[in-house]
Amino acid sequence: GAGVSQTPSNKVTEKGKYVELRCDPISGHTALYWYRQSLGQGPEFLIYFQGTGAADDSGLPNDRFFAVRPEGSVSTLKIQRTERGDSAVYLCASSLTGAHYGYTFGSGTRLTVV
Amino acid sequence: GDSVTQMEGPVTLSEEAFLTINCTYTATGYPSLFWYVQYPGEGLQLLLKATKADDKGSNKGFEATYRKETTSFHLEKGSVQVSDSAVYFCALSEDTDKLIFGTGTRLQVFP
């Protein structure tokens, strides 16, 4: 597609529920990134995929968070047993050449845990 | 660890005023430096970048120079417009493939 697409744009869920957030990167971009942006803060790195594999998952806050990219294109961020502190905007980005040359970000999924 | 510090906002200016948004960084090596912009209701967009010391990144009238001696990458524009109202994020990337962002500075430009 023309840009990075994230769905849903908004998600409200109850504490303790499971959620999946989807990212569809720019066609041909091998690198895909997930970030989390809390209110009034800059985005914080969660995980980076190169192709199908997670090259760096050091930013995932705990084992409730998991992400996959089974065919090297679409990625899904999965959050189990959601907590109110998980409320944030989850951003996905993709890149052909890597961080040093800049990414293209999607518009994000705003997750609210009530 | 690596970090980015930006001036707190909001920065409020009249149209055609000169803009400076300060950004300093801490890094162990020689990072690439970026400014990203987030317009209301839109995703983050890369505004400009610089990959080595003394490089100047520029785009849409904005400029920033990579100053290794002062570990800074201040964003400047000579004459702002109402349409420049947005949140601006300074960021760096070292040897890894992730970006480290500052907290963002909101710019509000009034006619």
Side-chain angles (χ1 to χ4, degrees):
Chain A
V4 177
S5 176
Q6 291 188 247
T7 53
S9 55
N10 279 284
K11 175 72 177 178
V12 180
T13 191
E14 292 181 347
K15 180 174 176 299
K17 299 288 190 184
Y18 168 83
V19 296
E20 290 190 351
L21 312 180
R22 176 187 167 108
C23 173
D24 202 338
I26 291 173
S27 178
H29 279 192
T30 56
L32 184 146
Y33 312 82
W34 284 98
Y35 283 76
R36 178 167 71 173
Q37 187 174 15
S38 300
L39 193 63
Q41 300 297 314
E44 292 179 306
F45 172 79
L46 294 176
I47 186 170
Y48 152 52
F49 288 90
Q50 184 61 253
T52 60
D56 184 349
D57 65 357
S58 61
L60 293 177
N62 52 59
D63 61 7
R64 295 187 297 106
F65 289 75
F66 189 70
V68 295
R69 194 185 186 200
E71 297 177 358
S73 178
V74 171
S75 177
T76 305
L77 179 65
K78 308 180 183 202
I79 311 174
Q80 298 178 318
R81 304 184 303 281
T82 51
E83 299 177 357
R84 293 200 178 88
D86 299 335
S87 297
V89 177
Y90 289 81
L91 298 170
C92 178
S94 70
S95 174
L96 189 58
T97 53
H100 285 274
Y101 298 94
Y103 313 148
T104 302
F105 278 89
S107 296
T109 294
R110 181 177 298 279
L111 175 67
T112 304
V113 182
V114 298
Chain B
D2 294 356
S3 65
V4 174
T5 302
Q6 288 182 238
M7 62 189 290
E8 287 195 21
V11 173
T12 304
L13 295 172
S14 297
E15 206 164 26
E16 299 183 5
F18 183 84
L19 168 71
T20 301
I21 300 178
N22 289 339
C23 171
T24 56
Y25 68 90
T26 301
T28 52
Y30 301 97
S32 294
L33 301 174
F34 307 83
W35 279 98
Y36 278 80
V37 58
Q38 192 168 35
Y39 297 103
E42 297 185 20
L44 277 166
Q45 301 174 24
L46 177 64
L47 180 60
L48 54 84
K49 65 180 187 290
T51 57
K52 61 183 188 298
D54 300 325
D55 269 3
K56 179 186 282 188
S58 61
N59 187 23
K60 299 182 181 180
F62 291 88
E63 292 183 338
T65 301
Y66 189 142
R67 300 285 187 204
K68 183 168 171 286
E69 63 277 13
T70 54
T71 62
S72 65
F73 193 56
H74 305 321
L75 183 68
E76 297 182 335
K77 186 174 186 183
S79 175
V80 293
Q81 305 300 311
V82 172
S83 58
D84 294 327
S85 298
V87 181
Y88 292 81
F89 292 92
C90 186
L92 69 81
S93 175
E94 273 217 87
D95 294 335
T96 62
D97 215 11
K98 57 188 167 190
L99 286 171
I100 295 171
F101 286 88
T103 54
T105 303
R106 181 175 298 279
L107 171 64
Q108 298 174 325
V109 181
F110 293 96

